[in-house]
Amino acid sequence: AKKLEVEANEFSVELLIPEKLAQPIINANKPSIATIELLASTFKMSLSACALRYPELSKEAVAVVFFSK
């Protein structure tokens, strides 16, 4: 069941933020919150979803840290 859930998550992220379309945006811009905002705007997705997708597609060593008070 867990494997099926992982596969479903991978499928949905590729459907919503496709590597083929996101990769050129990532490659053309320096790692920054502005680039993640551009992804969010382009794909009509949340900032957090794009922040999680960014390290998967970036050739740079990047980390995403979430913080809440």
Side-chain angles (χ1 to χ4, degrees):
K2 188 72 171 173
K3 184 178 183 214
L4 186 59
E5 182 180 348
V6 169
E7 288 177 4
N9 288 341
E10 289 172 353
F11 175 81
S12 63
V13 76
E14 183 60 30
L15 180 69
L16 297 170
I17 309 170
E19 180 176 359
K20 185 177 181 179
L21 299 177
Q23 195 76 61
I25 295 169
I26 292 169
N27 291 344
N29 295 281
K30 292 182 179 180
S32 68
I33 190 67
T35 302
I36 295 170
E37 289 171 336
L38 177 59
L39 288 171
S41 172
T42 300
F43 295 104
K44 309 290 189 262
M45 294 296 297
S46 70
L47 192 59
S48 58
C50 290
L52 290 171
R53 182 70 162 144
Y54 186 90
E56 296 174 357
L57 302 177
S58 177
K59 293 178 179 152
E60 303 287 335
V62 296
V64 176
V65 178
F66 287 89
F67 169 76
S68 77
K69 291 184 176 185

